Amino acid sequence: MRLLCAAVVCLVGLVAAADVRADDLPLGIKGQDDRIAVDGRRYPWSTIGRLTRGDGSLCSGVLIGPDLVLTAAHCLWNDTRQGWATTDELFFAAGLTDDLPTALSGVVRTRWPREYHGPGDLSLDNSSHDWALLTLRDPIGTRVGWLGVSDLSPETYDRYRQAAPVLIRAGYSVDRRATVHAHLGCHLVGWVRPGLLTHDCDATEGDSGSPVFAYLDGSFRVLALHVSTFREGSPEIWGGAIPVGPLVREALANRAVPNSVLAGGQQGDAPLASGLLAILQRGHPTGEVAPSGQGDQGNAAAFR
């Protein structure tokens, strides 16, 4: 466990994940397992939810408004029926700790890009359109809060790289589905194509639809949406994520989201994980979260 994670355990009350042999780790864990359990009752963890379908499958998602959830489009595919899930079989449970949600709601509307052709198309082009918006029956974000969104895109990437925030990916892995788990201090690695990034955050089955986010401009903001795990012509495993800048622009143009999504996140009634915020505002302690061989880059290690 890196030193940063040890500090977070002390300040935020996080619980370090149990040691697991490397050959037992699920696909998508890159090197040692850096996932740690966090308190889903506290903001920003309270905004991240577990999305379940009628066929028993699960994914992750994140609130970006009082009743608006961002997730992966393939999470809406019912494998049993081989068709799209209906709204009455979708449920979003936010901020789970020990399988107890901080808030729970059904879904009344689903939207995804027409360019997404379903999970059977494994092309990179299809993956770059693998996002969806859910409108919840109840505005649970007023209780648990929501995250803001960024304008991360190929055009703005260098600006975020220079800011070098501490990156976090958090969601509900199938092997740890009862509590939200987070990887602090992971990295965006590069572009596969304009609408698809690679990252080295630990993410496995169940984590599709989970956010890669950071504390920026006084607010927790989603930078990218985890949608896939793949190998890019080598044995090395990468995560695939969609930058939220282009998808938010598309959603705004189609009136699928209100302009208020650009205003930043809101804490709601959830207590703040204040120790976490103190760490994120300090940035990376030099060498503690950098990948192997990158220890002297300090804050710049957040992006490569």
Side-chain angles (χ1 to χ4, degrees):
M1 184 72 65
R2 293 171 176 142
L3 293 180
L4 176 63
C5 293
V8 174
V9 170
C10 295
L11 290 173
V12 196
L14 308 185
V15 180
D19 291 334
V20 181
R21 295 200 335 269
D23 56 0
D24 289 337
L25 294 176
L27 180 68
I29 305 303
K30 304 159 187 72
Q32 74 177 28
D33 193 343
D34 289 306
R35 295 172 298 169
I36 50 177
V38 294
D39 187 346
R41 297 164 295 186
R42 293 184 176 273
Y43 184 81
W45 315 121
S46 54
T47 69
I48 300 164
R50 189 176 69 192
L51 178 67
T52 55
R53 292 194 308 263
D55 60 1
S57 300
L58 67 89
C59 275
S60 300
V62 59
L63 282 156
I64 59 170
D67 61 354
L68 192 63
V69 171
L70 178 64
T71 188
H74 75 258
C75 294
L76 306 183
W77 183 261
N78 187 305
D79 291 320
T80 301
R81 290 203 323 271
Q82 288 296 293
W84 295 106
T86 58
T87 55
D88 59 2
E89 65 179 289
L90 296 171
F91 291 92
F92 184 77
L96 277 95
T97 299
D98 296 330
D99 223 22
L100 296 174
T102 305
L104 178 69
S105 177
V107 175
V108 295
R109 188 178 183 187
T110 58
R111 286 158 290 183
W112 61 89
R114 62 170 62 97
E115 294 87 354
Y116 183 68
H117 302 139
D121 182 348
L122 301 179
S123 68
L124 293 177
D125 180 69
N126 198 48
S127 289
S128 68
H129 299 291
D130 187 4
W131 59 271
L133 293 166
L134 314 179
T135 302
L136 301 181
R137 177 176 293 110
D138 304 306
I140 61 174
T142 58
R143 294 170 52 196
V144 301
W146 62 87
L147 300 188
V149 294
S150 71
D151 62 348
L152 179 64
S153 67
E155 295 75 26
T156 61
Y157 184 82
D158 284 345
R159 171 160 55 85
Y160 285 97
R161 186 177 186 276
Q162 291 169 7
V166 179
L167 299 186
I168 306 167
R169 193 218 55 84
Y172 296 87
S173 308
V174 164
D175 60 332
R176 299 177 183 181
R177 67 181 69 191
T179 298
V180 59
H181 279 69
H183 181 176
L184 283 77
C186 53
H187 315 84
L188 296 178
V189 178
W191 296 93
V192 179
R193 51 178 292 116
L196 193 64
L197 283 159
T198 53
H199 66 78
D200 66 2
C201 308
D202 285 341
T204 186
E205 184 180 358
D207 287 315
S208 291
S210 61
V212 178
F213 66 101
Y215 189 75
L216 290 160
D217 302 323
S219 177
F220 287 99
R221 295 180 183 270
V222 182
L223 280 81
L225 184 74
H226 171 73
V227 296
S228 62
T229 298
F230 61 91
R231 289 185 173 93
E232 190 184 6
S234 72
E236 199 164 10
I237 295 172
W238 300 108
I242 299 173
V244 300
L247 76 83
V248 168
R249 286 199 299 271
E250 180 178 345
L252 285 169
N254 290 303
R255 299 182 180 180
V257 297
N259 290 331
S260 58
V261 298
L262 301 175
Q266 295 291 328
Q267 186 177 334
D269 296 330
L272 180 67
S274 55
L276 169 67
L277 185 58
I279 288 175
L280 299 184
Q281 289 174 324
R282 285 204 305 269
H284 289 295
T286 300
E288 292 182 358
V289 296
S292 177
Q294 304 291 323
D296 293 332
Q297 293 187 19
N299 284 2
F303 282 75
R304 287 194 285 155

